[in-house]
């Protein structure tokens, strides 16, 4: 028997097995806790709870390390591309050339949406948030592919995976086109994944959009950086929905909804709104930080802080460099970048942020790049969803293949009224 932790309660001591991961992180296996002691664990926000064993992504938040399937994020961002990273996340290994070419071809063959799906976009108000539209359309895919959505059928899972990855850029671009009142632009299968997305976003029937390869590459790097992040809020949501054996489209749609919130993926939109507010008010970074530190003020420094990283988020470092490259290539100066850098500089020296280990996260600089390439603010989180998609699917697939997979069903400590008699209306 390996290591055990001992728990004593009401005079009885039990041994709880300790499990260890490949990077030597340890966890107490509590599977028998309730049956042996009557106790459950209480851990709001799952600050200390592992929900699964996973071999996809490794994070060391103290050291600022992120690896997909063992490969450091820095190397993948520099040398790989989003399709290769998607394959890696889904299959566990880097693809051989033939496999990658076949994967890219499969995605090209499935990039169009069913014509009837356009009706969904047109039914939403023009000012609908694209995350709401995106979540709805992804869920609606379940209705178009009912004959191939069985989570236990490997061919159904394969084709649903291809359809989702292939159609997500089209869905994202259609959300935008609908909001602008412009015609939808069909995918152009001669273009690579990111160039095709930019084409569907910015071309019109009367004007071709010439894709700048540097912009397409910057977008590709951003997608790589967002592709997975182990058991975050949206991924846990995808797993939770998947644990009920709901189909892949329904599970991913729930992930999109979870990502929308400003504490999670919605932070990239919130960062730009915050920077614009600072620019409009003409206040210094230092003054703004005082508001974020004030416990009577609900504001937070958006794009700062992370549940897992207690060090500089490695993705933020890469994004900051990409951000400066893109702006200098486009010969653009950015008032918002200047403000962001000032805020970062002040915060990293401020006792409040230092003691709480609050560093820039993935969202701090990403919005500035999106803005420079013409993506509107409310589309930022949709791009995050496009990037996170292969990670969500890989995690969902891992769950479906896990022989220990059970329906996700936490318990609670009940704090409501104890038993009481029903009182009729005339007695209340
Ligand atoms: N600005 C000011 N104070 C902050 C910030 C911030 N951005 N983040 C955390 N704090 C403070 C909290 O007020 C708290 O202070 P206290 O101990 O005095 O009460 C302390 O730091 C710990 O914060 P928690 O909220 O308990 O930390 P948690 O791990 O639950 O939250 C989170 C992490 C949600 C990311 C938080 O840091 C935050 O709200 N950041 C801003 C939003 C953001 O950028 N989200 C994107 C995260 S990355 C992603 O999801 C892709």
């Amino acid at each position: 028997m390996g290591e055990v932790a001992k728990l004593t309660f009401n005079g009885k001591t039990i041994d709880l097995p300790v499990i260890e991961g490949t990077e030597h992180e340890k966890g107490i296996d509590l599977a028998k806790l309730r049956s042996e002691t009557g106790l459950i664990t209480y851990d709001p926000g799952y600050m200390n709870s592992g929900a699964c064993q996973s071999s996809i992504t490794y994070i060391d938040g103290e050291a600022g390390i992120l690896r997909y399937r063992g490969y450091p994020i820095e190397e993948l961002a520099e040398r790989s591309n989003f399709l290769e990273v998607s394959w890696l996340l889904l299959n566990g290994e880097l693809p051989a050339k033939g496999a990658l070419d076949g994967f890219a071809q499969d995605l090209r063959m499935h990039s169009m949406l069913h014509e009837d799906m356009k009706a969904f976009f047109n039914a939403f108000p023009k000012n609908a948030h694209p995350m709401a539209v995106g979540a709805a359309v992804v869920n609606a895919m379940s209705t178009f592919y009912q004959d191939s959505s069985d989570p236990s059928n490997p061919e159904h899972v394969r084709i649903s995976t291809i359809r989702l990855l292939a159609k997500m850029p089209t869905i994202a671009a259609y959300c935008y086109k609908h909001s602008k009142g412009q015609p939808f632009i069909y995918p152009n299968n001669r273009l690579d994944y990111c160039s095709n997305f930019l084409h569907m976003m910015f071309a019109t029937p009367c004007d071709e959009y010439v894709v700048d390869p540097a912009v397409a590459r910057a977008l590709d790097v951003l997608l790589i950086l967002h592709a997975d992040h182990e058991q975050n809020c949206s991924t846990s949501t995808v797993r939770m929905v998947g644990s009920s054996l709901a189909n892949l489209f329904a599970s991913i749609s729930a992930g999109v909804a979870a990502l929308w919130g400003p504490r999670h993926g919605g932070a990239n939109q919130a960062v730009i709104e915050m920077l614009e507010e600072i620019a409009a008010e003409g206040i210094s970074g230092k003054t703004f930080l005082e508001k974020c530190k004030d416990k009577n003020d609900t504001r937070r420094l958006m794009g700062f802080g992370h549940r897992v990283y207690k060090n500089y988020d490695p993705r933020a470092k890469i994004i900051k460099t990409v951000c400066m490259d893109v702006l200098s290539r486009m010969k653009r100066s950015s008032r918002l970048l200047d403000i962001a850098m000032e805020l970062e500089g002040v915060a990293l020296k401020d006792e409040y942020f230092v003691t709480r280990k609050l560093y820039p996260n993935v969202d701090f600089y990403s919005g500035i790049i999106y803005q420079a390439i013409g993506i509107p603010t409310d589309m930022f989180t949709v791009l995050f969803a496009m990037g996170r998609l292969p990670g969500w699917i890989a995690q969902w697939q891992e769950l479906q293949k896990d022989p220990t997979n059970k329906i996700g069903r936490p318990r609670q400590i009940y704090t409501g009224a104890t038993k009481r008699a029903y009182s009729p209306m005339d007695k209340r």
Side-chain angles (χ1 to χ4, degrees), residues 258-275:
L259 188 71
W260 188 5
R263 283 186 178 175
H264 191 15
N268 55 15
Q269 173 172 348
V271 169
I272 289 292
E273 287 164 358
M274 172 187 80
L275 297 175

mmCIF file of all heavy atoms in Angstrom, residues 258-275:
data_model
loop_
_atom_site.group_PDB
_atom_site.id
_atom_site.type_symbol
_atom_site.label_atom_id
_atom_site.label_comp_id
_atom_site.label_asym_id
_atom_site.label_seq_id
_atom_site.Cartn_x
_atom_site.Cartn_y
_atom_site.Cartn_z
ATOM 1 N N ALA A 258 -20.632 29.048 -19.446
ATOM 2 C CA ALA A 258 -19.801 29.257 -18.252
ATOM 3 C C ALA A 258 -18.655 30.216 -18.536
ATOM 4 O O ALA A 258 -18.267 31.016 -17.686
ATOM 5 C CB ALA A 258 -19.256 27.921 -17.752
ATOM 6 N N LEU A 259 -18.134 30.142 -19.749
ATOM 7 C CA LEU A 259 -16.992 30.996 -20.108
ATOM 8 C C LEU A 259 -17.376 32.468 -20.175
ATOM 9 O O LEU A 259 -16.535 33.355 -20.050
ATOM 10 C CB LEU A 259 -16.419 30.539 -21.476
ATOM 11 C CG LEU A 259 -15.118 31.205 -21.896
ATOM 12 C CD1 LEU A 259 -13.955 30.709 -21.043
ATOM 13 C CD2 LEU A 259 -14.824 30.949 -23.374
ATOM 14 N N TRP A 260 -18.649 32.722 -20.413
ATOM 15 C CA TRP A 260 -19.133 34.080 -20.663
ATOM 16 C C TRP A 260 -18.884 35.023 -19.474
ATOM 17 O O TRP A 260 -18.643 36.226 -19.625
ATOM 18 C CB TRP A 260 -20.631 33.980 -20.978
ATOM 19 C CG TRP A 260 -21.294 35.224 -21.445
ATOM 20 C CD1 TRP A 260 -20.724 36.433 -21.721
ATOM 21 C CD2 TRP A 260 -22.694 35.363 -21.706
ATOM 22 N NE1 TRP A 260 -21.676 37.320 -22.137
ATOM 23 C CE2 TRP A 260 -22.893 36.688 -22.145
ATOM 24 C CE3 TRP A 260 -23.791 34.520 -21.623
ATOM 25 C CZ2 TRP A 260 -24.157 37.174 -22.482
ATOM 26 C CZ3 TRP A 260 -25.043 35.001 -21.966
ATOM 27 C CH2 TRP A 260 -25.223 36.307 -22.387
ATOM 28 N N GLY A 261 -18.928 34.499 -18.255
ATOM 29 C CA GLY A 261 -18.892 35.359 -17.065
ATOM 30 C C GLY A 261 -17.612 36.163 -16.921
ATOM 31 O O GLY A 261 -16.540 35.702 -17.307
ATOM 32 N N PRO A 262 -17.721 37.391 -16.347
ATOM 33 C CA PRO A 262 -16.545 38.264 -16.233
ATOM 34 C C PRO A 262 -15.456 37.753 -15.299
ATOM 35 O O PRO A 262 -14.326 38.215 -15.368
ATOM 36 C CB PRO A 262 -17.120 39.588 -15.711
ATOM 37 C CG PRO A 262 -18.433 39.252 -15.125
ATOM 38 C CD PRO A 262 -18.944 38.022 -15.844
ATOM 39 N N ARG A 263 -15.773 36.776 -14.443
ATOM 40 C CA ARG A 263 -14.700 36.211 -13.624
ATOM 41 C C ARG A 263 -13.913 35.173 -14.411
ATOM 42 O O ARG A 263 -12.928 34.642 -13.928
ATOM 43 C CB ARG A 263 -15.289 35.514 -12.396
ATOM 44 C CG ARG A 263 -15.718 36.469 -11.336
ATOM 45 C CD ARG A 263 -16.135 35.654 -10.142
ATOM 46 N NE ARG A 263 -16.512 36.511 -9.045
ATOM 47 C CZ ARG A 263 -17.009 36.055 -7.917
ATOM 48 N NH1 ARG A 263 -17.208 34.763 -7.762
ATOM 49 N NH2 ARG A 263 -17.317 36.875 -6.958
ATOM 50 N N HIS A 264 -14.427 34.817 -15.575
ATOM 51 C CA HIS A 264 -13.761 33.760 -16.360
ATOM 52 C C HIS A 264 -13.424 34.370 -17.723
ATOM 53 O O HIS A 264 -12.707 35.366 -17.783
ATOM 54 C CB HIS A 264 -14.712 32.551 -16.413
ATOM 55 C CG HIS A 264 -14.129 31.282 -16.950
ATOM 56 N ND1 HIS A 264 -12.794 31.057 -17.096
ATOM 57 C CD2 HIS A 264 -14.746 30.134 -17.379
ATOM 58 C CE1 HIS A 264 -12.599 29.845 -17.587
ATOM 59 N NE2 HIS A 264 -13.766 29.269 -17.776
ATOM 60 N N GLY A 265 -13.936 33.830 -18.813
ATOM 61 C CA GLY A 265 -13.538 34.300 -20.147
ATOM 62 C C GLY A 265 -13.986 35.709 -20.459
ATOM 63 O O GLY A 265 -13.378 36.391 -21.290
ATOM 64 N N GLY A 266 -15.066 36.143 -19.795
ATOM 65 C CA GLY A 266 -15.572 37.488 -20.052
ATOM 66 C C GLY A 266 -14.623 38.563 -19.563
ATOM 67 O O GLY A 266 -14.826 39.761 -19.837
ATOM 68 N N ALA A 267 -13.552 38.156 -18.872
ATOM 69 C CA ALA A 267 -12.616 39.156 -18.346
ATOM 70 C C ALA A 267 -11.902 39.908 -19.474
ATOM 71 O O ALA A 267 -11.549 41.067 -19.298
ATOM 72 C CB ALA A 267 -11.601 38.495 -17.423
ATOM 73 N N ASN A 268 -11.708 39.266 -20.636
ATOM 74 C CA ASN A 268 -10.972 39.998 -21.684
ATOM 75 C C ASN A 268 -11.776 41.199 -22.193
ATOM 76 O O ASN A 268 -11.227 42.254 -22.491
ATOM 77 C CB ASN A 268 -10.478 39.070 -22.810
ATOM 78 C CG ASN A 268 -11.569 38.247 -23.453
ATOM 79 O OD1 ASN A 268 -12.758 38.528 -23.288
ATOM 80 N ND2 ASN A 268 -11.176 37.224 -24.195
ATOM 81 N N GLN A 269 -13.105 41.041 -22.258
ATOM 82 C CA GLN A 269 -13.963 42.174 -22.603
ATOM 83 C C GLN A 269 -13.915 43.212 -21.478
ATOM 84 O O GLN A 269 -13.776 44.419 -21.727
ATOM 85 C CB GLN A 269 -15.406 41.690 -22.815
ATOM 86 C CG GLN A 269 -16.391 42.826 -23.005
ATOM 87 C CD GLN A 269 -17.804 42.355 -23.412
ATOM 88 O OE1 GLN A 269 -18.012 41.206 -23.758
ATOM 89 N NE2 GLN A 269 -18.748 43.263 -23.378
ATOM 90 N N ALA A 270 -13.987 42.713 -20.238
ATOM 91 C CA ALA A 270 -13.993 43.625 -19.086
ATOM 92 C C ALA A 270 -12.688 44.424 -18.987
ATOM 93 O O ALA A 270 -12.690 45.576 -18.551
ATOM 94 C CB ALA A 270 -14.231 42.828 -17.803
ATOM 95 N N VAL A 271 -11.560 43.826 -19.422
ATOM 96 C CA VAL A 271 -10.275 44.537 -19.367
ATOM 97 C C VAL A 271 -10.329 45.766 -20.277
ATOM 98 O O VAL A 271 -9.969 46.878 -19.873
ATOM 99 C CB VAL A 271 -9.099 43.617 -19.787
ATOM 100 C CG1 VAL A 271 -7.821 44.424 -19.982
ATOM 101 C CG2 VAL A 271 -8.877 42.531 -18.746
ATOM 102 N N ILE A 272 -10.790 45.560 -21.513
ATOM 103 C CA ILE A 272 -10.831 46.693 -22.454
ATOM 104 C C ILE A 272 -11.785 47.768 -21.946
ATOM 105 O O ILE A 272 -11.482 48.971 -21.987
ATOM 106 C CB ILE A 272 -11.247 46.211 -23.868
ATOM 107 C CG1 ILE A 272 -10.109 45.403 -24.493
ATOM 108 C CG2 ILE A 272 -11.622 47.374 -24.777
ATOM 109 C CD1 ILE A 272 -8.855 46.205 -24.833
ATOM 110 N N GLU A 273 -12.925 47.334 -21.407
ATOM 111 C CA GLU A 273 -13.876 48.333 -20.886
ATOM 112 C C GLU A 273 -13.239 49.117 -19.739
ATOM 113 O O GLU A 273 -13.415 50.329 -19.626
ATOM 114 C CB GLU A 273 -15.174 47.628 -20.447
ATOM 115 C CG GLU A 273 -15.975 47.186 -21.664
ATOM 116 C CD GLU A 273 -17.067 46.146 -21.377
ATOM 117 O OE1 GLU A 273 -17.213 45.713 -20.214
ATOM 118 O OE2 GLU A 273 -17.744 45.745 -22.333
ATOM 119 N N MET A 274 -12.470 48.408 -18.912
ATOM 120 C CA MET A 274 -11.784 49.073 -17.795
ATOM 121 C C MET A 274 -10.742 50.072 -18.331
ATOM 122 O O MET A 274 -10.673 51.219 -17.878
ATOM 123 C CB MET A 274 -11.111 48.000 -16.939
ATOM 124 C CG MET A 274 -10.207 48.510 -15.853
ATOM 125 S SD MET A 274 -9.327 47.132 -15.061
ATOM 126 C CE MET A 274 -8.018 46.812 -16.238
ATOM 127 N N LEU A 275 -9.946 49.635 -19.318
ATOM 128 C CA LEU A 275 -8.902 50.523 -19.856
ATOM 129 C C LEU A 275 -9.541 51.748 -20.525
ATOM 130 O O LEU A 275 -9.040 52.875 -20.394
ATOM 131 C CB LEU A 275 -8.014 49.765 -20.859
ATOM 132 C CG LEU A 275 -7.206 48.585 -20.293
ATOM 133 C CD1 LEU A 275 -6.469 47.842 -21.407
ATOM 134 C CD2 LEU A 275 -6.208 49.043 -19.224
#
